[in-house]
């Protein structure tokens, strides 16, 4: 339960006209003093500048440790508001109200908060667990279909990682799945991994399935491909390479590709493998002489494989 007091709602220019009034009204009705900050929508808002603005606003409104920051929006608002909450007065209460599918199933769970620097994404952040995460699936009704589809790439990821039956369910329904059921399952799966490895030194790495090479694809497209599309391509590349190496059956590989396609997600790229490998190897997730690739052994079971730097290009080539 939250103490009464002040609340700062942090939201963006797309979400504010749709959902802010309602959030403000219900918090006011519950007795809170409510302030709001509306920042431009988009990744560029996860900046030092906006972080500073939020800190100054928290100071200006005299919020104390028992007051609360509420992130109302997707992962961008969640990460930014969460980092301000984690650091102002060494930590305020933090509540996430995720409004995108991705933020419901992924970024609002696990306590990672961050902002970007011009030098790279998520370079500054903190682990700071929310006191509450409130998912209202009605928020998804206003979400553009392309952004919903992006979140589906992460949803499918959970099936490939941990749960074959769940993957089968998703393959059967396509995008018309039962939202409450799917969000609940994904949150439970992410919670279980985070419980085992809160600070991301072991099992939590599994959540990077499709992301290591996906990030290269995303960067190489100069961000004309969305994150979800890039993760889908990254997942497809690693699945095809795993099948070529007989780590994954060709049948399961085929089903992964078919399901991604059925959600309207891409599974091919004409990118130059050498460029993709170069970007992957300059990534912060590289440790020493190896790069951790998350490799499916079957639908529902994946492993963290430290791939020697000299083999990364071959992996990507095999997966194209
Ligand atoms: P986002 O927050 O930019 O939201 C996507 C778009 O949807 C934005 O334009 C937003 O304004 C709009 N929007 C949000 N909710 C809406 C609604 N209900 N109706 C209409 N429009 C709505 O992006 P995202 O995909 O939610 O999150 C991506 C961010 O999450 C990245 O910055 C990424 O680094 C971060 N992330 C963090 C974690 C973590 O563990 N902390 C995990 C995954 C991703």
């Amino acid at each position: 339960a939250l103490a009464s007091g002040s609340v700062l709602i942090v939201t963006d220019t797309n979400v504010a006209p749709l959902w802010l009034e309602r959030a403000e009204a219900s918090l006011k009705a519950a007795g809170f003093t409510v302030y709001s900050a509306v920042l431009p929508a988009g990744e560029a808002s996860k900046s030092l500048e906006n972080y500073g603005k939020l800190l100054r606003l928290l100071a200006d409104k005299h919020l104390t440790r028992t007051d609360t920051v509420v992130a109302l929006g997707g992962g961008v608002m969640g990460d930014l508001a969460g980092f301000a909450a984690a650091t102002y007065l060494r930590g305020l209460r933090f509540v996430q109200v995720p409004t995108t599918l991705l933020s419901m199933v992924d970024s609002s769970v696990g306590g990672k908060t961050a902002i970007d620097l011009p030098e790279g994404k998520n370079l500054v952040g903190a682990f700071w667990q929310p006191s509450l995460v409130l998912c209202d699936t009605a928020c998804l009704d206003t979400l553009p279909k392309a952004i919903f589809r992006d979140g589906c790439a992460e949803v499918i990821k959970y099936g490939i990682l941990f749960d074959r039956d769940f993957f089968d369910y998703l393959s059967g329904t396509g995008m018309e799945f039962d939202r409450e059921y799917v969000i609940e399952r994904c949150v439970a799966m992410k919670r279980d991994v985070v419980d085992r490895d809160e600070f991301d030194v072991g099992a939590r790495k599994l959540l990077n399935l499709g992301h290591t090479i996906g990030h290269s694809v995303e960067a190489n497209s100069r961000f004309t491909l969305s994150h979800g599309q890039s993760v889908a391509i990254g997942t497809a590349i690693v699945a095809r390479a795993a099948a070529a190496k007989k780590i994954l059956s060709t049948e399961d590989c085929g089903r992964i590709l078919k399901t991604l396609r059925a959600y309207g997600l891409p599974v091919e790229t004409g990118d130059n493998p050498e460029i993709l490998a170069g970007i992957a190897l300059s990534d912060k997730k590289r440790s020493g002489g190896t790069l951790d690739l998350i490799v499916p052994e079957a639908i529902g079971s994946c492993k963290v494989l430290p791939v020697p730097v000299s083999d990364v290009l071959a992996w990507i080539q095999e997966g194209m």
Side-chain angles (χ1 to χ4, degrees), residues 268-302:
E268 316 272 352
T269 168
D271 288 354
N272 178 338
E274 286 176 21
I275 292 176
L276 296 184
I279 300 172
L281 291 171
S282 65
D283 196 60
K284 67 183 156 115
K285 274 161 190 128
R286 173 178 162 185
S287 59
T290 60
L291 179 78
D292 285 336
L293 276 188
I294 314 309
V295 179
E297 299 177 286
I299 291 170
S301 169
C302 297

Side-chain angles (χ1 to χ4, degrees), residues 196-280:
R196 281 160 63 199
D197 178 25
E198 183 173 358
F199 298 108
D200 203 4
V201 292
R204 196 166 177 169
K205 286 185 184 169
L206 288 169
L207 299 170
N208 285 328
L209 174 66
H211 284 61
T212 313
I213 297 168
H215 281 151
S216 302
V217 172
E218 191 175 2
N220 197 39
S221 79
R222 302 200 187 283
F223 296 88
T224 55
L225 283 173
S226 69
H227 180 72
Q229 290 172 320
S230 307
V231 166
I233 292 171
T235 304
I237 290 175
V238 85
R240 281 188 294 252
K245 292 179 185 301
K246 311 243 181 280
I247 298 171
L248 176 71
S249 71
T250 39
E251 193 210 338
D252 274 10
C253 176
R255 292 193 59 214
I256 290 171
L257 302 179
K258 189 172 165 206
T259 302
L260 291 170
R261 274 197 216 99
Y263 278 72
L265 290 161
V267 295
E268 316 272 352
T269 168
D271 288 354
N272 178 338
E274 286 176 21
I275 292 176
L276 296 184
I279 300 172

Side-chain angles (χ1 to χ4, degrees), residues 12 14-15 18-19 41-43 46 73-77 79 99-100 102-103 106-107 109 112-113 121-122 139-140 142-144 147 190 204:
D12 74 25
N14 290 336
V15 178
L18 297 165
W19 298 104
E43 181 70 26
K46 263 172 65 174
V76 167
M77 290 301 121
D79 279 11
T99 61
T100 63
L102 178 136
S103 58
D106 189 355
S107 61
V109 188
K112 280 191 185 177
T113 71
K121 272 194 64 168
N122 296 328
C139 289
L140 298 173
T142 60
L143 193 65
I147 298 175
K190 180 151 182 190
R204 196 166 177 169

Side-chain angles (χ1 to χ4, degrees), residues 43-89:
E43 181 70 26
S45 270
K46 263 172 65 174
S47 63
L48 272 174
E49 196 191 359
N50 282 335
Y51 169 64
K53 269 190 202 160
L54 290 180
L55 297 181
R56 300 285 306 275
L57 189 61
L58 290 164
D60 184 52
K61 303 297 181 197
H62 305 289
L63 268 76
T64 68
R65 279 224 192 110
T66 52
D67 295 324
T68 306
V69 174
V70 175
L72 174 69
V76 167
M77 290 301 121
D79 279 11
L80 170 70
F83 186 52
T87 46
Y88 186 69
L89 299 179

Side-chain angles (χ1 to χ4, degrees), residues 74-216:
V76 167
M77 290 301 121
D79 279 11
L80 170 70
F83 186 52
T87 46
Y88 186 69
L89 299 179
R90 302 189 186 84
L92 296 192
R93 282 165 191 274
F94 177 45
V95 169
Q96 295 244 36
V97 184
T99 61
T100 63
L101 181 60
L102 178 136
S103 58
M104 291 183 187
V105 300
D106 189 355
S107 61
S108 66
V109 188
K112 280 191 185 177
T113 71
I115 56 170
D116 304 332
L117 296 181
E119 288 76 10
K121 272 194 64 168
N122 296 328
L123 287 182
V124 186
F127 289 96
W128 189 245
Q129 294 292 348
S131 307
L132 172 74
V133 181
L134 187 80
C135 285
D136 183 343
T137 55
C139 289
L140 298 173
D141 294 341
T142 60
L143 193 65
K145 195 167 179 187
I147 298 175
F148 185 81
R149 193 192 310 284
D150 269 347
C152 291
E154 307 289 344
V155 168
I156 295 167
K157 175 186 86 175
Y158 287 108
I160 301 170
L161 280 175
F162 304 119
D163 188 340
R164 194 177 180 93
D165 292 340
F166 182 63
F167 181 90
D168 290 345
Y169 170 80
L170 295 171
S171 303
T173 58
M175 290 220 290
E176 301 308 311
F177 53 70
D178 177 334
R179 292 172 175 184
E180 279 184 32
Y181 164 69
V182 162
I183 291 163
E184 207 178 306
R185 273 303 291 139
C186 293
V187 168
M189 287 188 262
K190 180 151 182 190
R191 175 205 59 208
D192 289 347
V193 184
V194 173
D195 268 353
R196 281 160 63 199
D197 178 25
E198 183 173 358
F199 298 108
D200 203 4
V201 292
R204 196 166 177 169
K205 286 185 184 169
L206 288 169
L207 299 170
N208 285 328
L209 174 66
H211 284 61
T212 313
I213 297 168
H215 281 151
S216 302

